[in-house]
Amino acid sequence: MELGFVGLGRMGLNMRDRLREHGHDALGYDPNPAVSDVSTLRELVASLTTPRSVWLMVPAGEATRDVVRDLSELLEPGDLVVDGGNSRFSDDSINSDILAEHGIRYVDCGVSGGIWGRVNGYALMAGGDPTDIAHLMPIFDALRPGGDRGDSFVHAGPTGAGHYAKMVHNGIEYGLMQAYAEGYELLAAEDRIADAGAVMQAWRSGTVVRSWLLDLLVDALAADPGLTSISGFTEDSGEGRWTVEEAITHRVPVPVISAALFARFASRQIDSPTMKAVSALRQQFGGHAVQPAEVPGVEL
């Protein structure tokens, strides 16, 4: 099957190459000429036979919206656009409407698998019309791992359902990573534990907490014991926030996911105003000692 790709970053490039390895004709465009197969988005569209299918792997928000607008002018009625990036599910109806005005079809697809997906395959969560999903099934089957389709692919529902499913997936991911990280810190803090990394390695087979995320943490600790080469500053890419917002909307308690999100916020505060306030309050009501602030270049 022929497919145009827009966005050849860490994920998009590997997805394009995996499709080629599985016998599909995948042609990609990226602003970076070092990885792009064509010079412009217009050239990509012109290189595809009708009805065209174009898969986007572009940052969420305005970047994706700009590409959708451009494609609405370049594609023809009957063509199909797939947004495989991490767009917010509420953006899908807007993007779909923009394309529908020109008779262009739209599918949203959450993609999980990271940089390992080219070899291991990707889990896919699609939203859209069943006819469009069926049309794209050869692409989905090439991108996902082998085995039962239902173990790595789902048609989650109508437009927006794919990205909603991926949002919740990433919220769960936040909680899992936070639990593993807190467990590691507790192990490392105990003098009786000779090697926290070795303990976690022993959990990789047979235990109820074994997982790919655990494998990755063990690998990271083996490469950098104590994780001394990196800081604790941790970004959040949006999905965790959206998951918590949706939980509030639906009145669903998500204390683990919420705590994991707030932990990422805390990681960015070198000197927390919250903890300064707590320290000040303890001093005010109990006369507890406080630590003076550090002034750069001044020894206290």
Side-chain angles (χ1 to χ4, degrees):
M1 182 174 174
E2 187 180 69
L3 183 72
F5 247 93
V6 180
L8 300 174
R10 289 173 296 178
M11 289 279 285
L13 187 65
N14 284 341
M15 292 171 70
R16 182 204 65 180
D17 291 347
R18 181 176 174 88
L19 288 173
R20 288 177 175 177
E21 291 163 1
H22 283 72
H24 294 282
D25 187 8
L27 191 69
Y29 165 70
D30 191 274
N32 178 7
V35 297
S36 188
D37 299 314
V38 294
S39 300
T40 64
L41 188 60
R42 182 180 297 275
E43 184 180 344
L44 175 68
V45 170
S47 300
L48 302 173
T49 56
T50 56
R52 307 172 183 88
S53 295
V54 180
W55 187 300
L56 313 185
M57 291 300 290
V58 179
E62 282 304 310
T64 294
R65 186 70 44 77
D66 288 344
V67 175
V68 166
R69 291 194 186 101
D70 290 342
L71 287 173
S72 73
E73 302 294 334
L74 295 171
L75 295 173
E76 299 175 358
D79 290 345
L80 174 61
V81 172
V82 183
D83 180 9
N86 280 329
S87 292
R88 186 177 177 124
F89 71 94
S90 54
D91 286 347
D92 289 315
S93 58
I94 300 172
N95 293 336
S96 178
D97 289 346
I98 291 172
L99 295 168
E101 291 179 4
H102 301 265
I104 302 165
R105 300 171 291 159
Y106 180 85
V107 166
D108 60 283
C109 186
V111 180
S112 179
I115 59 175
W116 303 93
R118 177 176 176 178
V119 175
N120 298 334
Y122 303 88
L124 305 165
M125 297 142 268
D129 186 272
T131 301
D132 297 332
I133 300 298
H135 175 74
L136 291 164
M137 198 56 69
I139 296 296
F140 295 143
D141 282 342
L143 288 172
R144 68 177 183 83
D148 291 342
R149 180 182 288 165
D151 289 340
S152 57
F153 172 84
V154 62
H155 179 196
T159 300
H163 279 143
Y164 196 99
K166 180 55 163 48
M167 173 192 73
V168 175
H169 165 282
N170 280 28
I172 293 169
E173 183 183 287
Y174 275 46
L176 291 172
M177 287 194 290
Q178 187 68 25
Y180 283 129
E182 290 175 5
Y184 162 70
E185 182 173 358
L186 187 56
L187 287 169
E190 173 54 52
D191 291 339
R192 293 179 179 86
I193 300 297
D195 186 340
V199 172
M200 301 193 89
Q201 182 175 354
W203 297 347
R204 294 176 75 167
S205 296
T207 73
V208 296
V209 299
R210 63 188 184 274
S211 76
W212 186 49
L213 286 174
L214 176 62
D215 292 342
L216 293 176
L217 179 54
V218 170
D219 291 345
L221 289 169
D224 182 11
L227 304 177
T228 57
S229 67
I230 59 176
S231 77
F233 186 104
T234 308
E235 284 286 6
D236 66 289
S237 55
E239 296 91 338
R241 299 188 190 203
W242 304 338
T243 303
V244 172
E245 290 170 4
E246 281 300 295
I248 294 170
T249 298
H250 291 288
R251 297 180 176 86
V252 174
V254 290
V256 172
I257 295 173
S258 299
L261 174 64
F262 296 145
R264 295 194 181 195
F265 295 163
S267 78
R268 303 166 204 168
Q269 295 181 306
I270 297 174
D271 202 358
S272 168
T274 297
M275 298 316 298
K276 282 187 175 184
V278 170
S279 182
L281 283 168
R282 291 182 75 250
Q283 183 185 45
Q284 289 292 322
F285 72 69
H288 299 288
V290 297
Q291 295 290 328
E294 293 186 6
V295 180
V298 176
E299 292 187 5
L300 299 177

